[in-house]
């Protein structure tokens, strides 16, 4: 006798996240789990979802986000992650996490990319507990930021940590890992951590080894000195003996265009002796705090926000500088604190990196920018529409794997990222003929098309871009079954 299921997604082409070819199958869900795949025509269900002519895939996993605060304060309208098929996010990247840090004043940039008024968590466990109590829109796996630990424990950031400060930060990390953090991130490129030594990162990260945590690294340089920065990151990963993720791998500045051939070869060689992988976003422009030193290497710079001059948001820094009769670098200084988009990457490098077998997909979106980079809203549909359907540089099954199964395996997210019996019921249904990341630099918050339904832990969370359930997600604590 067939047991009544809660939901059957029927008639779709299942791409299961493993990289295997698609197959026709129904997906049967009971509670928060997938319990059956195959022909479920005669199986009773409380609800059936018609997916005929559509693709049914695991919910996308955004491995590189700054959604720490967005998880606490879901928007009233369309959700930037649910609307593009994302069901799980990895937060706390680039050395920046919302916890553990209590701060009355605004913390130094780039920590302020998470906003200015939510720095109230004295422990990482307090942050995860509040997430669980409020119920996030998507599943959340959270990293501890090395820069956040430095701000918490050091009176000055323009020097390497003392042995005592290293011990304090390592203790903070150990406590966070015990509470459920999945690992630590670094942002050695940024001012709060620029003075940190390689030995400091290894000392602070020591608890990761026994906890089998992961380290994600915004390396020290992504331009002229990228070779030495990669060597440092790989050394840190080897010293700790843990999984290492190279964040948003890219080459900036015209002089470095094409060098992804070399950097990918270096990473591939290292992968033979240590666990290393990388993520990227599918755009040839980056976004972070507005840095005068980045202006000259960019073809254009677009201001995403400015506290000193809010009217600059969404404008070209170069155009504004011409209007005001000043040098772009000078204007960048007067707009501080501020954020920006930098057009300084080669599309050939982006494509080459995206195609590499070690590469996962992450948005690196900044949810609190006034005029954000379109990657916040459009990353995953853009991969499917632009790089799979239009340019054909990836097979659909390969692209889905990079956004689901590969990501879950690398970050240790058991039961996520695949469509299989007993897996968590995180599912996206999309139209491969129309799916597209419609967000643009001119209209960065446009909702993607072709994402028809998103189920998070078995609950319908989004339908045709409209949020249905904003509390279907869970906190994915390290070392604990969910």
């Amino acid at each position: 006798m067939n047991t009544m299921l809660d939901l059957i997604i029927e008639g779709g082409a299942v791409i299961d996240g493993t990289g295997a070819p698609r197959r026709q199958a129904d997906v049967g869900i009971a509670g928060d789990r997938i319990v059956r795949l195959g022909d479920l025509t005669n199986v009773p269900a409380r609800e059936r979802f018609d997916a005929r002519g559509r693709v049914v895939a695991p919910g996308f996993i955004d491995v590189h986000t700054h959604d720490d605060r967005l998880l606490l304060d879901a928007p009233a309208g369309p959700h930037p992650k649910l609307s593009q098929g994302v069901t799980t996010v990895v937060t706390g990247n680039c050395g920046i996490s919302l916890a553990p840090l209590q701060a009355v004043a605004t913390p130094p940039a780039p920590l302020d990319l998470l906003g200015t008024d939510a720095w109230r968590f004295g422990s990482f466990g307090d942050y995860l507990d509040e997430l669980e109590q409020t119920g996030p829109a998507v599943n959340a796996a959270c990293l501890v930021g090395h820069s956040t630990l430095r701000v918490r424990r050091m009176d000055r950031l323009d020097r390497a940590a003392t042995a005592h400060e290293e011990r304090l930060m390592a203790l903070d990390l150990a406590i966070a890992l015990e509470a459920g953090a999945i690992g630590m991130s670094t942002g050695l490129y940024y001012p709060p951590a620029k003075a940190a030594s390689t030995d400091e990162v290894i000392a602070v990260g020591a608890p990761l080894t026994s906890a089998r945590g992961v380290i994600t690294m915004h390396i020290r340089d992504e331009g002229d000195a990228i070779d030495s920065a990669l060597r440092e990151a790989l050394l840190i990963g080897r010293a700790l003996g843990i999984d290492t993720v190279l964040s948003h791998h890219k080459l900036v500045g015209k002089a470095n265009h094409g060098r992804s051939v070399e950097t990918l070869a270096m990473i591939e060689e290292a992968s033979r002796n240590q666990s290393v992988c990388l993520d990227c976003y599918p755009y040839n422009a980056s976004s972070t705090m507005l840095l005068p030193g980045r202006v000259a290497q960019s073809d254009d710079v677009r201001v995403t926000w400015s506290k000193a001059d809010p009217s600059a948001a969404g404008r070209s820094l170069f155009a504004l500088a011409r209007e005001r009769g000043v040098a772009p670098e000078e204007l960048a200084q007067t707009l501080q604190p501020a954020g920006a988009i930098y057009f300084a990457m080669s599309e050939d490098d982006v494509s080459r990196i995206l195609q590499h077998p070690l590469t996962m997909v992450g948005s690196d979106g900044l949810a609190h920018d006034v005029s954000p980079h379109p990657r916040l809203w459009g990353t995953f549909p853009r991969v499917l529409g632009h790089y799979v359907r239009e340019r054909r540089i990836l097979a659909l099954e390969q692209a889905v794997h990079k956004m689901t199964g590969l990501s879950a395996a690398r970050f240790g997210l058991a039961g996520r990222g695949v469509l299989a019996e007993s897996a968590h019921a995180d599912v996206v249904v999309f139209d491969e003929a129309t799916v597209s990341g419609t967000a643009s630099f001119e209209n960065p918050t446009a909702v993607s098309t072709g994402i028809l339904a998103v189920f998070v832990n078995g609950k319908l969370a989004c339908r045709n871009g409209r949020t249905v359930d904003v509390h279907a997600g869970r906190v994915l604590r390290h070392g604990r079954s969910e």
Side-chain angles (χ1 to χ4, degrees):
M1 183 176 178
N2 286 326
T3 303
M4 175 77 73
L5 301 183
D6 292 317
L7 171 67
I8 293 178
I9 302 171
E10 57 185 1
V14 169
I15 296 179
D16 66 8
T18 67
R22 70 180 70 193
R23 62 189 176 100
Q24 289 298 125
D26 304 326
V27 179
I29 295 170
D32 64 351
R33 298 278 179 161
I34 297 169
V35 294
R36 295 183 65 177
L37 286 98
D39 184 356
L40 306 181
T41 304
N42 298 318
V43 176
R46 293 180 177 85
E47 185 178 355
R48 306 184 89 90
F49 185 92
D50 185 0
R52 286 175 295 180
R54 309 295 190 243
V55 171
V56 181
F60 304 139
I61 298 173
D62 191 342
V63 298
H64 190 107
T65 82
H66 297 282
D67 291 349
D68 307 47
R69 184 180 172 188
L70 178 66
L71 289 166
L72 294 170
D73 304 309
H79 194 284
K81 296 304 169 70
L82 285 176
S83 63
Q84 56 178 307
V86 170
T87 58
T88 299
V89 298
V90 177
T91 70
N93 284 281
C94 296
I96 308 164
S97 62
L98 200 57
L101 181 63
Q102 289 178 310
V104 177
T106 302
L111 275 67
D112 58 355
L113 295 176
L114 297 181
T116 60
D117 57 356
W119 299 92
R120 61 180 184 272
F121 300 101
S123 76
F124 209 83
D126 288 346
Y127 171 69
L128 296 183
D129 288 346
E130 183 165 326
L131 271 188
E132 284 189 334
Q133 290 162 11
T134 57
V138 295
N139 303 310
C142 305
L143 298 158
V144 182
H146 169 242
S147 295
T148 295
L149 297 179
R150 291 190 110 236
V151 172
R152 173 181 167 91
R153 291 299 187 181
M154 297 179 64
D155 60 349
R156 287 174 41 206
L157 300 172
D158 60 347
R159 59 174 175 79
T162 64
H164 177 63
E165 289 164 339
E166 289 174 351
R167 286 193 295 271
L168 290 175
M169 288 188 279
L171 178 61
D172 288 339
L173 175 60
I175 293 170
L177 291 167
E178 178 62 27
I182 65 167
M184 184 178 79
S185 72
T186 70
L188 300 179
Y189 171 79
Y190 291 116
K194 191 179 287 288
S197 67
T198 304
D199 288 342
E200 174 191 319
V201 177
I202 294 170
V204 174
L208 295 168
T209 304
S210 59
R212 299 179 64 83
V214 65
I215 189 167
T216 72
M217 305 195 70
H218 182 152
I219 61 177
R220 203 177 289 274
D221 190 275
E222 296 173 322
D224 296 347
I226 193 168
D227 283 358
S228 60
L230 279 174
R231 283 193 290 271
E232 178 188 42
L234 294 168
L235 171 62
I236 290 169
R238 284 197 305 275
L240 294 173
I242 58 174
D243 293 330
T244 303
V245 181
L246 302 170
S247 294
H248 45 55
H249 186 52
K250 58 183 174 289
L251 289 302
V252 297
K254 290 181 180 178
N256 298 302
H257 290 178
R259 291 184 63 195
S260 61
V261 174
E262 306 164 25
T263 60
L264 290 172
M266 182 187 302
I267 297 166
E268 194 169 329
E269 175 64 26
S271 72
R272 298 188 177 99
N273 300 300
Q274 66 184 103
S275 179
V276 60
C277 60
L278 58 150
D279 66 71
C280 78
Y281 45 81
Y283 299 87
N284 62 2
S286 59
S287 183
T288 186
M289 57 192 291
L290 179 56
L291 297 163
R294 288 283 300 274
V295 172
Q297 63 185 186
S298 304
D299 293 328
D300 194 10
V301 177
R302 185 182 293 265
V303 181
T304 57
W305 65 277
S306 169
K307 189 171 183 180
D309 183 1
S311 69
R315 296 289 310 278
S316 163
L317 180 76
F318 294 168
L320 276 173
R322 287 192 297 269
E323 290 174 12
R324 300 180 185 184
V326 297
E329 291 84 356
E330 180 183 345
L331 179 58
Q333 194 62 52
T334 62
L335 292 176
Q336 299 295 329
I341 295 169
Y342 302 91
F343 295 84
M345 297 156 61
S346 158
E347 177 58 38
D348 287 345
D349 284 323
V350 173
S351 299
R352 187 177 296 115
I353 293 167
L354 181 61
Q355 291 176 86
H356 197 276
L358 292 175
T359 302
M360 305 169 290
V361 176
S363 72
D364 196 18
L366 301 173
H368 309 291
D369 282 0
V370 176
S371 181
H373 191 301
R375 65 193 183 186
L376 176 68
W377 287 83
T379 288
F380 293 83
R382 176 172 169 80
V383 171
L384 300 174
H386 182 67
Y387 288 95
V388 174
R389 186 180 62 245
E390 296 173 5
R391 293 193 53 203
R392 300 183 180 182
I393 68 168
L394 291 170
L396 184 56
E397 290 85 350
Q398 182 186 15
V400 168
H401 176 58
K402 287 175 171 291
M403 304 192 295
T404 58
L406 178 61
S407 307
R410 287 294 191 174
F411 281 88
L413 306 179
R416 309 276 172 184
V418 294
L419 298 184
E421 291 185 6
S422 80
H424 295 276
D426 297 335
V427 185
V428 59
V429 181
F430 63 89
D431 182 350
E432 64 182 310
T434 63
V435 64
S436 180
T438 56
S440 64
F441 293 102
E442 294 71 32
N443 186 15
T445 61
V447 176
S448 299
T449 59
I451 302 293
L452 306 179
V454 184
F455 299 88
V456 181
N457 296 306
K459 298 178 180 178
L460 178 64
C462 186
R463 184 77 185 267
N464 294 320
R466 181 177 63 86
T467 303
V468 176
D469 188 338
V470 79
H471 298 294
R474 293 179 182 165
V475 177
L476 307 183
R477 298 196 190 226
H478 179 59
R480 305 180 196 181
S481 59
E482 298 291 343

